Amino acid sequence: MTEATSQGIALALQARAQLTAPGAPFEVIECTDGDHAERRYRNAFPTLPALLAASRAHGDKPYIQYQGETWTFTRFFAEADAVASWLHKAGVCPGDRVAIAMRNRPEWGVAFVATALLGAIPAPLNSFGLREELHAALADLAPKVLFCDPERHARVAGDGAPDCVMVVTDSAPAGSESYAALAAQPAEPPPVADVGPDDPALILFTSGATSRAKGVLSTQRAVCQALFNIDFIGAVSGMSSPEAVAKIMARGLPPTTLTAVPLFHVSGLHAQLLNALRNGRRLVFTHRWDPATALDLIAEEKVTQFNGAPSMVLQLLAEPRFDDPAVTGNLGGLGFGGAGLPQRAIDEVLKRPQGDMSGIGFGLTESNGVGAAASGAVFRHAPRSSGLISPIIDLCIMDAEGNALPVGSMGEICLRGVTLMQGYWNDPDATAGAIRGGWFHTGDVGYVSDEGLLFVVDRIKDVINRSGEKIAAAEVESCLLQHPDLEEAAVFAMPDEGTGEAVAAAVVVREGRRLSEAELQAHVAAHLAGYKVPARIFIRQDALPRNPAGKLLKGDLKRACLSPTR
């Protein structure tokens, strides 16, 4: 730890106190909600319609760049007003669901905003979902309208199609409405939405890495408080990293983010689409994720920020052109979605100038992305942590019986606060299982340090119990990834008669390299205790299976590796 990084966390704590004090921009107030008091930002917008009304002030500034076309805020809101006007005439009212199923494109954002303007509930679907998955989500939602692109329409239409109006971008098939025609109509001002802070605002589906995805229902207040929290994180990062901020400001470039993460998750919707809309910032949409194409866009569009899953960031760093100042010289930071970064990712970022304002956070769909965050000097001070806990969230580390554990003790991370979901849509049993005594049980294992930093160790299901010794899969994965010839690694438990569970791993070797199971076991043995060395290592040619958000489908991988027919 250097004196500069140590000073960084001191400055972050000082900035946090200043920014949340009475009369400050991010003043935090305490309100009673049910049986407990919760903290809120006094100055956050109460509802999405109120936030959107303020965002119109950005006028003719560029908002979204997509396939060579620029959408200004003026154009974006003109189309949103036209679509909202049509939705109102079609009978969409506050509380009605409007589903969205399309790849990242400007029309996705228009459909979302038009729905929110009316106080209706946008419900983005996993655009990578196949017919059965999309039908299941639509049957659960019972939306009045579905906005989709031709590819998603082809998956949904026909037998089992939802009983709702379908609006299709590009060429609209017979029986559907044309998005282009609706957006081109003269817009009548949409009615002022009759919604309050406690009314429903959004349904987002969990990633469904291990089971069928569940719809997460959040209130207007929860979403708006979460969006304001993103601004708070930025303010703390700037105040605690003044030299890095000065370097970025000296370039004189407008803040521009390359958006490659799906908009149907909080990392894309909250932190990018809505954050940029609120603050007048520019987004560059990728048509599909490809690291080489992403570098082209970073250079051509003078991108200043890239946020993505750890696997996406590592792929970007592995590109030979990444270290060319002509390509990435304008990047001020790299953001990691998720937590528990492998050591190699940390090393790769910290040794590069683009890592000056890099960061990571911890949050879930169920908390609207709010939990903890670290950026700039705080990230450099403790890159293995997930940062400082948000001032509007309560975080408690609990044991298996639900008892609070002291600082430094490892247990399940539980959250409570204003940004927490109302519950899972149409699933009271799942809601009751996840929220107990007012606390949302995340299923993540971690601890809080003396400095107030959250460290996420692993998922509960990914902690391996070998003869009573608890082994974090993430620790072994990080060790494996230190081997220069490995591309990916995943660690999981496998049944063992002698120890109950044994450590197993699946790895992908870099193209053109060769490694044996014994060589990799020796590598782990040189760095970790003997009981943590994988008993089996499955060497794969194909990439590890992941969902559209970049989350590893460890259950699928484990079944494939341990299948008796293998």
Side-chain angles (χ1 to χ4, degrees):
M1 183 193 307
T2 68
E3 182 178 347
T5 58
S6 181
Q7 182 186 27
I9 193 166
L11 287 174
L13 292 170
Q14 180 181 338
R16 175 191 176 103
Q18 291 175 348
L19 290 168
T20 58
F26 296 92
E27 178 184 353
V28 172
I29 58 175
E30 195 165 282
C31 303
T32 301
D33 183 24
D35 297 330
H36 71 278
E38 66 179 23
R39 296 180 301 281
R40 302 171 184 168
Y41 291 118
R42 179 187 291 277
N43 298 320
F45 285 99
T47 65
L48 277 176
L51 182 149
L52 296 172
S55 301
R56 295 177 184 271
H58 302 306
D60 290 330
K61 289 176 64 176
Y63 176 33
I64 298 174
Q65 187 82 11
Y66 180 62
Q67 294 192 319
E69 189 176 10
T70 299
W71 290 55
T72 64
F73 286 89
T74 298
R75 174 186 173 182
F76 181 87
F77 274 109
E79 294 205 8
D81 287 342
V83 173
S85 179
W86 175 83
L87 285 171
H88 177 60
K89 293 175 184 176
V92 173
C93 301
D96 288 337
R97 278 80 61 205
V98 173
I100 305 170
M102 63 178 84
R103 69 165 63 249
N104 286 8
R105 52 189 294 168
E107 294 89 344
W108 195 110
V110 169
F112 184 96
V113 168
T115 303
L117 284 171
L118 298 176
I121 307 173
L125 307 183
N126 181 341
S127 62
F128 295 90
L130 300 180
R131 183 182 184 84
E132 184 178 332
E133 297 166 282
L134 292 172
H135 278 184
L138 290 166
D140 194 27
L141 289 169
K144 279 199 172 179
V145 178
L146 166 65
F147 286 90
C148 55
D149 53 22
E151 185 178 355
R152 257 49 59 172
H153 181 271
R155 296 180 195 174
V156 169
D159 293 341
D163 182 19
C164 68
V165 179
M166 286 192 266
V167 180
V168 186
T169 60
D170 306 318
S171 55
S176 64
E177 296 283 347
S178 165
Y179 170 89
L182 302 183
Q185 293 178 354
E188 298 177 8
V192 177
D194 183 19
V195 293
D198 294 318
D199 288 322
L202 172 66
I203 295 174
L204 281 179
F205 283 83
T206 58
S207 56
T210 58
S211 62
R212 179 171 165 175
K214 297 183 287 291
V216 173
L217 176 66
S218 294
T219 65
Q220 300 281 340
R221 179 185 287 115
V223 175
C224 290
Q225 289 279 327
L227 293 173
F228 206 66
N229 191 66
I230 296 171
D231 291 346
F232 169 78
I233 293 169
V236 170
S237 300
M239 292 174 68
S240 58
S241 309
E243 293 181 3
V245 171
K247 189 188 302 183
I248 292 171
M249 296 295 289
R251 297 178 186 139
L253 295 172
T256 300
T257 298
L258 180 67
T259 297
V261 294
L263 294 177
F264 55 80
H265 282 304
V266 289
S267 54
L269 176 60
H270 291 49
Q272 298 192 35
L273 185 80
L274 294 178
N275 183 50
L277 188 69
R278 166 71 185 95
N279 293 294
R281 293 173 182 157
R282 181 169 170 259
L283 301 174
V284 177
F285 281 6
T286 57
H287 185 65
R288 62 172 54 88
W289 172 247
D290 174 73
T293 303
L295 281 182
D296 291 339
L297 288 171
I298 287 170
E300 293 166 9
E301 302 294 341
K302 294 183 170 56
V303 170
T304 61
Q305 181 71 30
F306 175 76
N307 301 328
S311 59
M312 297 169 74
V313 175
L314 280 173
Q315 289 173 32
L316 206 60
L317 293 170
E319 288 290 315
R321 292 184 296 147
F322 185 87
D323 290 313
D324 182 353
V327 177
T328 60
N330 294 316
L331 271 179
L334 298 166
F336 293 89
L341 292 180
Q343 186 63 46
R344 192 173 85 197
I346 295 169
D347 295 341
E348 290 289 335
V349 169
L350 292 183
K351 72 183 182 182
R352 288 174 159 90
Q354 297 90 343
D356 283 351
M357 285 300 288
S358 291
I360 190 172
F362 171 79
L364 305 97
T365 307
E366 290 89 343
S367 67
N368 279 283
V370 179
S375 181
V378 176
F379 178 72
R380 288 181 170 274
H381 169 74
R384 298 306 299 271
S385 85
S386 292
L388 294 166
I389 299 165
S390 165
I392 58 168
I393 205 83
D394 292 325
L395 188 148
C396 183
I397 304 297
M398 294 187 183
D399 63 17
E401 286 72 44
N403 301 310
L405 296 172
V407 170
S409 298
M410 194 178 301
E412 184 178 13
I413 301 168
C414 299
L415 304 176
R416 183 177 67 184
V418 64
T419 66
L420 202 63
M421 67 174 180
Q422 276 190 315
Y424 293 116
W425 178 255
N426 284 342
D427 200 340
D429 291 341
T431 302
I435 302 177
R436 305 192 292 276
W439 290 94
F440 172 67
H441 289 248
T442 67
D444 290 295
V445 177
Y447 65 93
V448 178
S449 72
D450 292 337
E451 294 177 310
L453 294 165
L454 174 66
F455 286 78
V456 181
V457 176
D458 216 329
R459 293 286 294 171
I460 286 176
K461 66 179 185 297
D462 288 337
V463 174
I464 302 161
N465 188 346
R466 182 185 184 277
S467 297
E469 293 286 353
K470 302 297 194 298
I471 303 166
E475 180 186 20
V476 184
E477 288 167 357
S478 185
C479 179
L480 282 165
L481 286 171
Q482 287 294 93
H483 197 293
D485 291 340
L486 280 191
E487 185 74 38
E488 294 186 283
V491 170
F492 48 87
M494 62 182 291
D496 183 85
E497 289 187 7
T499 61
E501 290 184 338
V503 182
V507 301
V508 178
V509 180
R510 289 184 182 275
E511 188 176 354
R513 311 292 173 86
R514 295 180 65 86
L515 281 174
S516 69
E517 182 179 18
E519 287 175 312
L520 288 170
Q521 288 169 323
H523 167 75
V524 176
H527 296 87
L528 299 179
Y531 69 89
K532 298 180 181 179
V533 176
R536 286 294 313 276
I537 298 180
F538 302 92
I539 299 175
R540 295 166 50 96
Q541 301 301 316
D542 299 332
L544 301 184
R546 296 180 184 276
N547 71 7
K551 184 180 293 185
L552 181 67
L553 298 173
K554 194 169 280 190
D556 292 355
L557 178 65
K558 182 176 178 178
R559 284 188 290 272
C561 290
L562 302 183
S563 170
T565 59
R566 179 180 170 84

